[in-house]
Amino acid sequence: MKRVEGKVALVTGGAGGLGAASARMLAREGAKVVVTDRREGEARAVVEELGASGLFLPLDVTREDQWVSALARTVETFGRLDVLVNNAGMGIVKDVEEMSLDEWRFVHSVNLDGVFLGCKHGIRVMRECGSQGSIINISSIAGLVGVPQFPAYCSSKAAVRMLSKSVALHCAYKGYGIRCNSIHPGYVETAMVEALAQAGGQAEKTRARMLKGIPAGRFGEPDDVAHAVVYLASDESKLMTGAEMVLDGGATAQ
Ligand SMILES: NC(=O)c1ccc[n+]([C@@H]2O[C@H](COP(=O)([O-])OP(=O)(O)OC[C@H]3O[C@@H](n4cnc5c(N)ncnc54)[C@H](O)[C@@H]3O)[C@@H](O)[C@H]2O)c1
């Protein structure tokens, strides 16, 4: 028996990076996986790798109407929803003095409103299909410690941490059997971190500075996060709710 055999998962922001790695590993471990994103071409390419276990659906996580239709299509196609990975996210590299109110709101709309909408409608759909499911919210170590160039990113990711705990407690006290946890990766080699390294125009220097802050001496790989996603998606973690998994090579242990 594979680790998430028979489960149906929906992953947001699944076109690349951590979302695509999580989708691939969930499918390898026996789940049916709905890969969603705003970037249709890249997301469809991931789904092609998954064969009959995969389905692409367009979903901009800031749009409540798209959440409602993507979740309905998931249940129509695969019969249920057991795992929701709220992974879609973005950042703007500007300090608090440079950032406009529109930019601040935009980051929060994707990173926080998107996760709120996922939790709200994910719980509803899991309950409708009688699933004791698992909601996995991808936060960041930027939700645990401050970063001067990322005020909106840090704020939104810190809020995801507390939203996750509140959702976990709500579901536990209501007796739904639905769990909710957050994952807090440090720097992982994806397009997002590459863009960050390039942002200052001195990519090699920036990468070296990032690496210096990681006691383990290496960046994370997308599969490091995907392993944590599969664990939280599986019944192996059935006692775990309202918790946070930090995957950062010791960066926040200092
Ligand atoms: N890479 C890291 O070092 C790192 C560290 C900590 C946390 N994270 C978090 O992990 C998650 C994945 O990041 P990644 O590194 O794979 O980044 P990525 O840029 O490779 O992937 C993010 C995906 O989210 C999608 N997306 C953005 N806005 C969206 C929206 N409104 N609706 C739907 N999809 C949207 C993008 O199209 C993209 O495919 C993010 O939440 C990010 O904040 C990443």
Side-chain angles (χ1 to χ4, degrees):
M1 175 100 169
K2 293 182 176 174
R3 294 171 69 197
V4 285
E5 187 97 50
K7 294 189 190 289
V8 176
L10 185 149
V11 180
T12 69
L18 308 186
S22 300
R24 290 187 190 102
M25 203 177 286
L26 285 165
R28 204 158 66 229
E29 291 295 342
K32 301 271 189 264
V33 184
V34 180
V35 177
T36 69
D37 206 291
R38 287 186 314 188
R39 295 191 294 147
E40 179 164 350
E42 292 92 333
R44 280 193 186 280
V46 174
V47 164
E48 255 174 50
E49 293 173 41
L50 310 185
S53 298
L55 171 72
F56 165 75
L57 293 176
L59 172 58
D60 177 336
V61 295
T62 65
R63 296 274 308 273
E64 188 163 18
D65 57 332
Q66 293 188 12
W67 268 110
V68 171
S69 59
L71 288 165
R73 288 270 318 271
T74 298
V75 175
E76 269 165 40
T77 310
F78 290 133
R80 53 192 292 111
L81 176 73
D82 303 292
V83 178
L84 172 61
V85 186
N86 283 310
N87 164 79
M90 50 81 64
I92 294 177
V93 188
K94 281 192 180 176
D95 68 36
V96 65
E97 295 185 83
E98 296 164 335
M99 181 162 282
S100 70
L101 182 57
D102 281 348
E103 289 168 332
W104 168 267
R105 285 183 174 148
F106 181 58
V107 173
H108 283 81
S109 75
V110 178
N111 293 0
L112 180 57
D113 299 356
V115 177
F116 158 71
L117 290 171
C119 292
K120 178 179 171 66
H121 291 287
I123 291 168
R124 173 179 58 75
V125 170
M126 284 177 186
R127 290 188 63 212
E128 282 167 6
C129 59
S131 167
Q132 308 228 320
S134 174
I135 299 175
I136 303 161
N137 294 333
I138 308 298
S139 175
S140 167
I141 58 167
L144 305 174
V145 295
V147 186
Q149 306 88 346
F150 300 140
Y153 187 76
C154 289
S155 164
S156 61
K157 292 298 187 179
V160 165
R161 172 173 176 263
M162 258 332 139
L163 169 64
S164 305
K165 292 183 193 301
S166 302
V167 166
L169 292 174
H170 169 76
C171 292
Y173 286 134
K174 290 278 184 181
Y176 295 163
I178 296 170
R179 300 180 294 113
C180 181
N181 295 284
S182 56
I183 296 180
H184 301 258
Y187 292 123
V188 184
E189 302 263 23
T190 67
M192 182 182 277
V193 162
E194 192 47 38
L196 194 60
Q198 302 285 349
Q202 293 185 302
E204 274 320 301
K205 255 190 165 167
T206 309
R207 286 175 72 82
R209 205 183 54 239
M210 289 169 163
L211 208 50
K212 233 177 133 185
I214 308 173
R218 70 165 187 87
F219 291 107
E221 295 160 8
D223 274 0
D224 292 328
V225 177
H227 282 293
V229 167
V230 168
Y231 171 66
L232 289 175
S234 77
D235 296 339
E236 295 159 15
S237 59
K238 63 183 187 301
L239 192 58
M240 199 160 167
T241 195
E244 50 202 74
M245 288 180 78
V246 179
L247 308 170
D248 69 350
T252 55
Q254 306 174 86

